[in-house]
């Protein structure tokens, strides 16, 4: 079974731009969740999508958004980038996040200059 | 929101030694998981363990939900065990991670 695939692996953007990150879950998994990891704040939950619906959301501004397609692939969008958005963005898939193990992708390292 | 504390923050071991990592949480939870992040940033799920005890090879974990803590045991540590160990808890769809324990295993 293929693992969770995130693209791209690295991204460099400038302040004010927007960015879209992609995540393909493990086949059969309907839940995709997103996380931000920074040295200062650690790992934080962004949001979760299940069957194309946002099911849960962490405490992040509206500039962070996402969506899930019918094949369970998910995208995360960050608009009007700020320097503080520089982070490793991780996605994870599971059969059902709240009750099953999470499987993580390798992440997208975003640098905002 | 729920508070998660991991201890110790850093741990240095000689290969072959055993260790215990702790995760304390401030409220009842319905989900607790342990992860290992390797030096390349990849997060690997070790255990899904909201309560009870589980073992997987040299690793085992115990969660005492009523006392709001979980322990991760690593026996006969190897250099490949190096990295950061995180616990993550969830309550009412609010998921929180601990700050992690950075483990270094020296040959």
């Amino acid at each position: 079974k293929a693992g969770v695939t995130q693209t791209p692996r690295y991204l460099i953007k400038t302040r004010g731009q927007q960015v879209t990150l992609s995540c393909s879950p493990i086949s059969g998994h309907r839940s995709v969740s997103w996380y931000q990891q920074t040295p200062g704040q650690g790992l934080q939950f962004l949001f979760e999508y299940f069957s194309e619906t946002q099911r849960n959301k962490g405490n992040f501004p509206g500039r962070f958004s996402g969506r899930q397609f019918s094949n369970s692939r998910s995208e995360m969008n960050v608009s009007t980038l700020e320097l503080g958005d520089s982070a490793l963005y991780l996605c994870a898939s599971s059969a059902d996040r709240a009750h099953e193990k999470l499987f993580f992708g390798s992440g997208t390292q975003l640098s905002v200059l | 929101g729920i508070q998660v504390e991991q201890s110790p923050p850093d741990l240095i071991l000689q290969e072959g030694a055993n260790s215990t990592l702790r995760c304390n949480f401030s409220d009842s939870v319905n989900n607790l998981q342990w992860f290992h992040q390797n030096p390349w940033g990849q997060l690997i799920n070790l255990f899904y363990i909201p309560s009870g005890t589980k073992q997987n090879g040299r690793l085992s974990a115990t969660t005492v939900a009523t006392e709001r803590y979980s322990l991760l045991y690593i026996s006969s540590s190897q250099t490949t065990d190096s990295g950061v160990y995180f616990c993550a808890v969830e309550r009412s769809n609010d998921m929180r991670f601990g700050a992690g324990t950075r483990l270094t295993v020296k040959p």
Side-chain angles (χ1 to χ4, degrees):
Chain A
K1 228 181 201 183
V4 179
T5 304
Q6 288 189 249
T7 57
R9 186 70 179 93
Y10 301 95
L11 260 180
I12 300 175
K13 292 286 187 178
T14 56
R15 277 181 300 174
Q17 287 186 310
Q18 75 164 24
V19 66
T20 299
L21 312 181
S22 179
C23 174
S24 293
I26 290 172
S27 177
H29 284 184
R30 295 164 67 188
S31 168
V32 175
S33 48
W34 290 88
Y35 305 82
Q36 182 196 65
Q37 186 175 27
T38 61
Q41 299 298 316
L43 272 161
Q44 297 184 89
F45 169 69
L46 277 156
F47 34 65
E48 181 213 3
Y49 285 85
F50 185 87
S51 293
E52 301 180 64
T53 301
Q54 187 180 86
R55 189 161 67 169
N56 294 297
K57 191 177 191 306
N59 190 24
F60 277 80
R63 300 185 297 107
F64 292 82
S65 63
R67 59 179 176 168
Q68 187 179 32
F69 302 96
S70 58
N71 62 357
S72 292
R73 189 178 71 86
S74 177
E75 288 182 347
M76 190 191 94
N77 184 275
V78 188
S79 62
T80 320
L81 283 166
E82 301 176 0
L83 295 179
D85 296 333
S86 294
L88 179 66
Y89 289 90
L90 294 156
C91 87
S93 79
S94 68
D96 185 347
R97 183 184 68 91
H99 306 289
E100 301 285 342
K101 291 173 68 169
L102 292 176
F103 296 86
F104 279 87
S106 300
T108 294
Q109 184 68 54
L110 172 65
S111 297
V112 182
L113 306 178
Chain B
I2 192 166
Q3 305 297 312
V4 184
E5 291 183 4
Q6 290 188 243
S7 60
D10 292 280
L11 188 57
I12 300 175
L13 300 174
Q14 210 63 37
E15 202 168 25
N18 303 327
S19 61
T20 301
L21 283 57
R22 187 176 181 104
C23 173
N24 292 334
F25 41 97
S26 61
D27 208 339
S28 60
V29 298
N30 52 274
N31 183 349
L32 187 146
Q33 304 192 41
W34 282 96
F35 300 93
H36 173 224
Q37 188 167 40
N38 65 23
W40 297 271
Q42 178 70 48
L43 267 167
I44 305 294
N45 189 297
L46 299 174
F47 295 101
Y48 170 81
I49 186 165
S51 64
T53 298
K54 290 187 177 180
Q55 179 154 10
N56 184 4
R58 297 182 295 103
L59 273 59
S60 64
T62 294
T63 297
V64 184
T66 53
E67 297 188 21
R68 300 177 187 169
Y69 73 88
S70 183
L71 302 174
L72 177 68
Y73 306 96
I74 305 174
S75 64
S76 304
S77 57
Q78 301 175 357
T79 56
T80 52
D81 295 331
S82 295
V84 183
Y85 291 80
F86 293 99
C87 73
V89 303
E90 185 159 359
R91 172 184 169 81
S92 302
N93 295 320
D94 180 19
M95 185 176 187
R96 301 294 174 111
F97 289 81
T101 291
R102 181 173 299 278
L103 174 65
T104 303
V105 181
K106 296 190 170 183

